[in-house]
Amino acid sequence: MRNYDLTPLYRSAIGFDRLAQLAEHAAANNGNTGYPPYNIELLGENRYRITMAVAGFSMDELEISSEGEKLLVKGNKAEIQSERKYLYQGIAERGFERTFQLADYVTVLGASLENGLLNIDLVREIPEALKPRKIEISSSRLLDNQS
């Protein structure tokens, strides 16, 4: 994997340091190996769902936490006491840790486990102060009228 030096971006872009940090995080993120597989769906204008295939994991073995703009999903497989002899083992029984970077104002609504699929529902709630608003145009200057 290539290492990209984003130092010029830090020097010349004011206020875009968060974007550069996200790019660095994506380039250096070697921990997400593709297990377990997942989908990210757009359910509506500001609604999303992450669906992860977690076959063999029970609710007690899964943990979801959200801190700031990071969503962390962990699976810790309980140790099996009985020893099994597999002719072929295609179902992974290893633990995992997957991190998702959430955009601004995206929060987790809840999660459910059904048929080996973990569904995590998300919503983006933009504060009213940051939503676009229409500015009325008047025929007189506002600053001239206040003197």
Side-chain angles (χ1 to χ4, degrees):
M1 179 175 221
R2 291 183 179 168
N3 276 338
Y4 295 100
D5 182 17
L6 299 175
T7 306
L9 183 59
Y10 284 120
R11 282 195 305 252
S12 62
I14 309 299
F16 289 96
D17 53 334
R18 177 161 152 54
L19 179 62
Q21 288 170 350
L22 286 174
E24 276 184 348
H25 174 73
N29 195 1
N30 299 329
N32 288 344
T33 61
Y35 174 76
Y38 66 92
N39 294 334
I40 300 176
E41 299 174 72
L42 177 63
L43 301 177
E45 186 176 340
N46 289 313
R47 293 180 37 239
Y48 307 89
R49 176 176 288 153
I50 299 171
T51 302
M52 298 180 73
V54 292
F57 284 86
S58 67
M59 281 192 215
D60 297 338
E61 297 170 328
L62 296 170
E63 180 184 326
I64 303 170
S65 61
S66 176
E67 183 178 337
E69 294 163 350
K70 287 190 178 183
L71 174 65
L72 178 64
V73 182
K74 289 183 185 180
N76 295 312
K77 197 72 179 137
E79 293 295 321
I80 299 174
Q81 299 299 335
S82 65
E83 191 170 315
R84 297 179 179 175
K85 285 181 87 172
Y86 292 104
L87 296 177
Y88 172 78
Q89 184 177 6
I91 300 173
E93 291 186 350
R94 65 183 184 269
F96 66 88
E97 188 172 303
R98 180 163 295 279
T99 304
F100 295 94
Q101 187 72 32
L102 302 178
D104 291 337
Y105 313 112
V106 173
T107 58
V108 178
L109 289 178
S112 64
L113 180 64
E114 185 178 345
N115 299 326
L117 296 174
L118 176 65
N119 294 304
I120 304 169
D121 291 322
L122 307 157
V123 66
R124 179 181 11 205
E125 296 173 332
I126 301 172
E128 285 296 322
L130 298 177
K131 287 183 180 177
R133 61 185 178 99
K134 186 174 182 178
I135 307 297
E136 295 296 326
I137 301 171
S138 66
S139 60
S140 62
R141 293 185 183 180
L142 294 176
L143 294 177
D144 290 343
N145 293 338
Q146 293 178 1
S147 320

